[in-house]
Amino acid sequence: MVNKNRIIDTELFHQEMGKLIFSFDQIVETVKYDSKELLVYYVLIKKIISNATSANILIYENYINETKILLRSAVETVILITYLAHFPEKISDYLDEAQILKVKCNFIAYKETKEGEPVDIWGNTCTKKELAKENKRCFDEVQESAKAKILKGIGIEDFIITEDNYEKFNKYFRNFKPEFMKYEKMYKELYKVGFKLKDIFEYSLRDIVYGFYNDSSQVTHGCFLDWNRKSKFTQREAEYIFHFFIKTTLFLKVLLKGAINFNTVASQQYLPEMKQAHENLEKLIYGRKLKH
């Protein structure tokens, strides 16, 4: 029987995972992002790589729970980018909602501030009157399509909060839930169009990410048993984390097939080191000698 409680060298894991992430990042940079859709994909991919890089640093410092939190964030972005790649016509709506969400966050700060009582926002002491101006400034900066949706949703012609229309603002922002945060809905829509990871196995996206996402959510929201137990980087933990590093980085080449071609001429130089790092990680996890 395999002993999965064997301690894994976190420094070696960190080094090899760093090589893997770096090589993939270099491959990403060889692609030309010359359309609105491709630019959106690029920003989201870089966010995933940033999460993975930060998680890898936490592995080195032996903060295993924090690693799961960061990879959970990466998983959310993997779901989103896969969805947008298969429904590119929804990218404009996504960009609108992202900006509306920012306006909503500012409104909530305004809503929760009592008249005459300054509050610390973004490191600055603000009054309710100043927050009202900040709401207007934030609204003025979003793109025109997002502005139109906000005004229509509230039922006003000008974005100015008054005693008479405050409840309209409050109702609109209280009920606003971005579609790009509804992960179960995205799973179902992808399933309806027949999206499966056929290059790997006949699984849906939900099948691939849900188990880790659910477990890491418990850690994120402060499951006492996880935080009260001292984490050791054993084979069990290393195998678990390794697979999700792969699912939140290298799987993108499969998930985005048809939307982005990562097989550029320039990308080929990074494949040998990526392959070697992958093999070394498997050897490290499963107890075989690494090659250098």
Side-chain angles (χ1 to χ4, degrees):
M1 185 174 179
V2 178
N3 176 21
K4 292 200 173 185
N5 291 319
R6 179 175 58 86
I7 301 299
I8 300 297
D9 188 321
T10 54
E11 184 173 355
L12 282 176
F13 186 95
H14 169 77
Q15 288 175 359
E16 297 301 325
M17 184 55 69
K19 294 175 185 176
L20 196 66
I21 296 170
F22 176 78
S23 297
F24 179 68
D25 188 33
Q26 294 304 298
I27 289 174
V28 169
E29 293 295 338
T30 68
V31 178
K32 189 175 182 180
Y33 302 92
D34 54 359
S35 69
K36 181 178 77 172
E37 291 79 14
L38 288 173
L39 183 58
V40 169
Y41 302 150
Y42 174 74
V43 171
L44 294 176
I45 291 169
K46 295 296 283 189
K47 186 261 185 187
I48 291 167
I49 291 172
S50 175
N51 287 153
T53 301
S54 301
N56 191 36
I57 294 170
L58 290 170
I59 286 290
Y60 180 73
E61 299 293 341
N62 202 36
Y63 290 116
I64 310 302
N65 285 326
E66 285 81 356
T67 296
K68 293 180 181 180
I69 293 172
L70 274 167
L71 289 179
R72 175 184 183 268
S73 175
V75 167
E76 290 178 344
T77 310
V78 166
I79 298 167
L80 173 61
I81 194 172
T82 305
Y83 179 79
L84 293 178
H86 288 80
F87 298 97
E89 69 278 6
K90 297 190 179 184
I91 286 178
S92 292
D93 289 335
Y94 160 64
L95 294 175
D96 282 345
E97 287 191 341
Q99 294 182 68
I100 294 171
L101 185 62
K102 177 64 177 176
V103 180
K104 174 182 178 176
C105 289
N106 282 332
F107 175 77
I108 290 173
Y110 169 83
K111 173 184 174 181
E112 297 300 323
T113 301
K114 294 180 180 179
E115 196 70 54
E117 293 185 11
V119 64
D120 182 75
I121 303 289
W122 315 294
N124 298 308
T125 302
C126 302
T127 64
K128 197 172 184 75
K129 184 177 180 180
E130 288 170 334
L131 286 172
K133 290 181 180 179
E134 178 62 20
N135 274 315
K136 184 65 167 63
R137 185 198 64 78
C138 184
F139 172 81
D140 289 340
E141 287 188 348
V142 305
Q143 59 193 26
E144 293 302 318
S145 53
K147 288 179 183 176
K149 289 178 181 178
I150 292 172
L151 295 177
K152 181 179 179 181
I154 297 173
I156 56 176
E157 294 183 359
D158 194 10
F159 193 88
I160 299 175
I161 304 172
T162 67
E163 289 184 6
D164 293 333
N165 66 21
Y166 171 81
E167 282 305 321
K168 289 184 177 181
F169 275 81
N170 190 35
K171 182 180 179 181
Y172 171 73
F173 286 120
R174 185 176 63 242
N175 294 328
F176 176 72
K177 176 70 182 291
E179 293 295 311
F180 69 87
M181 288 185 171
K182 298 177 181 178
Y183 302 114
E184 288 294 335
K185 181 175 180 291
M186 286 190 271
Y187 290 142
K188 290 177 181 177
E189 289 190 38
L190 285 167
Y191 181 79
K192 284 180 181 178
V193 298
F195 172 71
K196 287 183 180 294
L197 298 178
K198 295 180 181 179
D199 294 53
I200 307 171
F201 22 57
E202 284 282 336
Y203 284 170
S204 70
L205 181 61
R206 189 183 193 279
D207 294 331
I208 297 299
V209 303
Y210 182 76
F212 178 86
Y213 183 80
N214 185 51
D215 177 66
S216 58
S217 292
Q218 305 311 309
V219 176
T220 301
H221 297 304
C223 180
F224 181 79
L225 294 178
D226 286 294
W227 290 100
N228 190 46
R229 181 176 62 247
K230 184 172 177 58
S231 296
K232 293 182 179 180
F233 200 53
T234 63
Q235 178 178 334
R236 188 185 309 279
E237 289 287 350
E239 186 176 359
Y240 180 78
I241 295 295
F242 169 64
H243 282 292
F244 261 82
F245 267 113
I246 300 304
K247 289 175 183 179
T248 54
T249 51
L250 303 190
F251 265 29
L252 287 173
K253 294 182 71 175
V254 177
L255 295 169
L256 299 179
K257 189 176 181 180
I260 300 178
N261 178 21
F262 290 108
N263 297 318
T264 63
V265 174
S267 73
Q268 302 307 303
Q269 63 181 303
Y270 302 105
L271 295 180
E273 185 170 3
M274 179 181 288
K275 182 180 179 182
Q276 188 61 66
H278 191 284
E279 290 178 359
N280 283 345
L281 282 164
E282 289 190 333
K283 290 171 184 175
L284 178 65
I285 293 168
Y286 298 110
R288 296 185 290 275
K289 190 175 180 181
L290 277 64
K291 292 181 180 179
H292 296 285

